[in-house]
Amino acid sequence: MAKNKRDIDLDVKKKALEETAARLFMTCGYEATSMSRIAQELGVTPNTLYWYYASKDELLVGVLNRLLSDSLKQLPPIMGSSPKEQISWALQEFEQSRALVNTVHGKLSQSALIRDWHERFHRALESAVVHTLKAKGISTEQARILATVATFLVEGLLAHPHTEKQRDDILEWFGQNALPDPA
Amino acid sequence: MAKNKRDIDLDVKKKALEETAARLFMTCGYEATSMSRIAQELGVTPNTLYWYYASKDELLVGVLNRLLSDSLKQLPPIMGSSPKEQISWALQEFEQSRALVNTVHGKLSQSALIRDWHERFHRALESAVVHTLKAKGISTEQARILATVATFLVEGLLAHPHTEKQRDDILEWFGQNALPDPA
DNA sequence: TTGCATCTTGAATGCCATACAAGATAATTC
DNA sequence: GAATTATCTTGTATGGCATTCAAGATGCAA
């Protein structure tokens, strides 16, 4: 039973691996970052990485989950604000890892692992957004549509370079058309 | 002057190369399709490809331009229909090359060549859409916003698997919110 | 102390995009 | 029509990549 000591070390090590990988993935890009490079940065042999992760894709999933859960920790204070502010927050949060968002989308057709992660992520995201919208008195069906549209707009803004004005205009337009009745 | 014969051969050859590459890129994916594989399919040495294209990315650009100009040939009959039908057509047109759309977005951060092509493409697309919307009496500023939103929705639908109903709902919603006045 | 699970490495494999130099083939010039 | 040149194709090679397998090191349990 008492194999705790080891398990703790494992999490600590994984944390270090994923943080280094995350940094390199975000600055140099996923494809441009080799396993050797990550290992080198950690003062380790490439093979070591393969003891913790079966493949580079699996390491990517580890990185994605870590970044995501780090973002989610900052979520509670935001929950109270307006939808537009919430979208704006999400946008800013993902901006840091814009490259990774594009990487994930680019790998959807090749990697079942990434495809699964992506699908799970969007399911969770949509159900959260829908829940929030329903609390504002929007029908489930309408909420689903709005959630999807909001997601597409965020992803579009992340994928394409844009000015602050463009972003504001789009968010403004969406805010005005998303909640038609209360006017 | 009279070097026509050769020049014609060059275009014919490029056409064959790009068609084969396009087919493989679309069915197996860009990354999963090696230059050797394309050459093999053509009964040629991999090096031959490098006489026509400086790199795999450049071949991709050739493929993209060819697919695009093929699509554009079918454009005139569509120009008269409703905006919703036009978006629907664009969606169907890109559906075939959904994988390539994702590939392009995934490569934006790594390849300047692809980045340039992507930027040019979106500039041309936006100006076309804006032009169409202005003809319907929409202000330039509003038309720009709508064009961008429409683009993001199309790309979102391409990037994520979705049901017919989802697509219809989103296009319907956009159609109703895009032209607010005439009601 | 012996055995076992955990972690790390050395050395190798096969694939990849790509480079360079040398061959083949056809067009142009003399 | 022979020699030269531009066009196209190939043979051969390189360095990097993700990944694998077998063998070493390290610490825990009996």
Side-chain angles (χ1 to χ4, degrees):
Chain A
M1 275 299 167
K3 51 177 177 169
N4 261 0
K5 186 87 180 301
R6 283 286 182 125
D7 279 1
I8 285 174
D9 282 356
L10 184 132
D11 282 352
V12 168
K13 194 76 186 244
K14 275 193 147 187
K15 182 163 187 265
L17 297 192
E18 285 165 5
E19 279 171 353
T20 299
R23 180 167 49 80
L24 291 174
F25 285 167
M26 298 197 309
T27 56
C28 313
Y30 176 78
E31 308 285 353
T33 303
S34 69
M35 293 295 264
S36 303
R37 178 71 201 288
I38 300 169
Q40 186 184 337
E41 203 92 355
L42 288 155
V44 178
T45 302
N47 300 355
T48 300
L49 299 178
Y50 284 91
W51 195 86
Y52 294 93
Y53 307 94
S55 67
K56 195 183 177 187
D57 281 5
E58 204 166 280
L59 170 57
L60 175 57
V61 168
V63 167
L64 291 172
N65 284 331
R66 183 167 297 275
L67 291 174
L68 195 58
S69 79
D70 283 356
S71 278
L72 256 42
K73 280 175 194 152
Q74 303 179 334
L75 190 108
I78 286 291
M79 288 299 283
S81 59
S82 78
K84 190 182 164 188
E85 275 176 314
Q86 288 179 2
I87 294 184
S88 201
W89 172 83
L91 211 41
Q92 200 174 0
E93 203 62 25
F94 281 120
E95 196 86 18
Q96 299 297 111
S97 30
R98 165 206 294 264
L100 281 186
V101 175
N102 289 331
T103 298
V104 166
H105 286 146
K107 282 181 76 66
L108 285 181
S109 48
Q110 317 159 40
S111 164
L113 207 62
I114 300 297
R115 199 159 49 241
D116 281 359
W117 183 88
H118 181 254
E119 195 186 325
R120 252 190 281 277
F121 168 73
H122 275 292
R123 256 209 299 272
L125 179 65
E126 188 195 276
S127 87
V129 175
V130 165
H131 183 266
T132 304
L133 290 175
K134 280 172 74 175
K136 292 194 180 299
I138 297 178
S139 75
T140 305
E141 196 177 1
Q142 182 74 358
R144 283 228 182 86
I145 297 174
L146 292 176
T148 306
V149 170
T151 303
F152 289 175
L153 294 183
V154 168
E155 287 189 353
L157 286 168
L158 285 173
H160 304 83
H162 59 270
T163 64
E164 272 192 42
K165 183 176 183 314
Q166 265 181 300
R167 188 181 55 212
D168 282 350
D169 284 350
I170 288 175
L171 292 189
E172 186 69 27
W173 177 86
F174 177 72
Q176 281 176 359
N177 290 286
L179 314 164
D181 287 331
Chain B
M1 274 300 166
K3 51 176 177 169
N4 261 0
K5 187 85 179 302
R6 283 287 181 127
D7 278 0
I8 286 173
D9 283 356
L10 183 131
D11 282 351
V12 169
K13 193 78 186 236
K14 276 193 145 185
K15 183 163 185 264
L17 298 192
E18 285 165 5
E19 279 171 354
T20 298
R23 180 168 49 80
L24 292 174
F25 286 166
M26 297 197 310
T27 56
C28 313
Y30 176 79
E31 309 285 353
T33 303
S34 69
M35 293 295 264
S36 303
R37 177 71 201 286
I38 300 169
Q40 186 183 338
E41 203 92 354
L42 289 155
V44 178
T45 303
N47 300 354
T48 299
L49 299 178
Y50 284 91
W51 193 86
Y52 295 92
Y53 307 94
S55 66
K56 195 183 177 185
D57 280 6
E58 204 167 279
L59 171 56
L60 175 57
V61 168
V63 167
L64 292 172
N65 284 332
R66 182 168 296 275
L67 290 174
L68 194 58
S69 79
D70 283 354
S71 278
L72 256 42
K73 280 175 196 156
Q74 302 180 334
L75 190 107
I78 285 293
M79 287 300 283
S81 58
S82 77
K84 191 183 162 188
E85 275 176 313
Q86 288 179 3
I87 294 184
S88 202
W89 172 83
L91 211 41
Q92 201 173 359
E93 203 62 25
F94 282 121
E95 197 87 16
Q96 299 298 109
S97 31
R98 165 206 294 264
L100 281 186
V101 175
N102 290 330
T103 298
V104 167
H105 287 145
K107 283 182 75 67
L108 285 180
S109 48
Q110 317 159 39
S111 163
L113 208 60
I114 301 297
R115 199 159 49 242
D116 280 0
W117 183 89
H118 181 254
E119 195 186 325
R120 251 189 282 276
F121 169 73
H122 276 291
R123 256 209 299 271
L125 180 65
E126 189 196 275
S127 87
V129 176
V130 165
H131 182 263
T132 304
L133 291 175
K134 280 172 75 174
K136 293 194 180 298
I138 297 178
S139 75
T140 304
E141 196 176 2
Q142 182 74 358
R144 284 229 181 85
I145 296 174
L146 292 175
T148 306
V149 170
T151 303
F152 289 176
L153 293 183
V154 168
E155 287 189 352
L157 285 168
L158 285 173
H160 303 84
H162 60 272
T163 65
E164 272 192 40
K165 184 179 182 310
Q166 266 182 300
R167 187 182 55 211
D168 282 350
D169 284 350
I170 288 175
L171 292 190
E172 186 68 25
W173 177 86
F174 178 73
Q176 281 177 1
N177 290 286
L179 314 164
D181 286 331

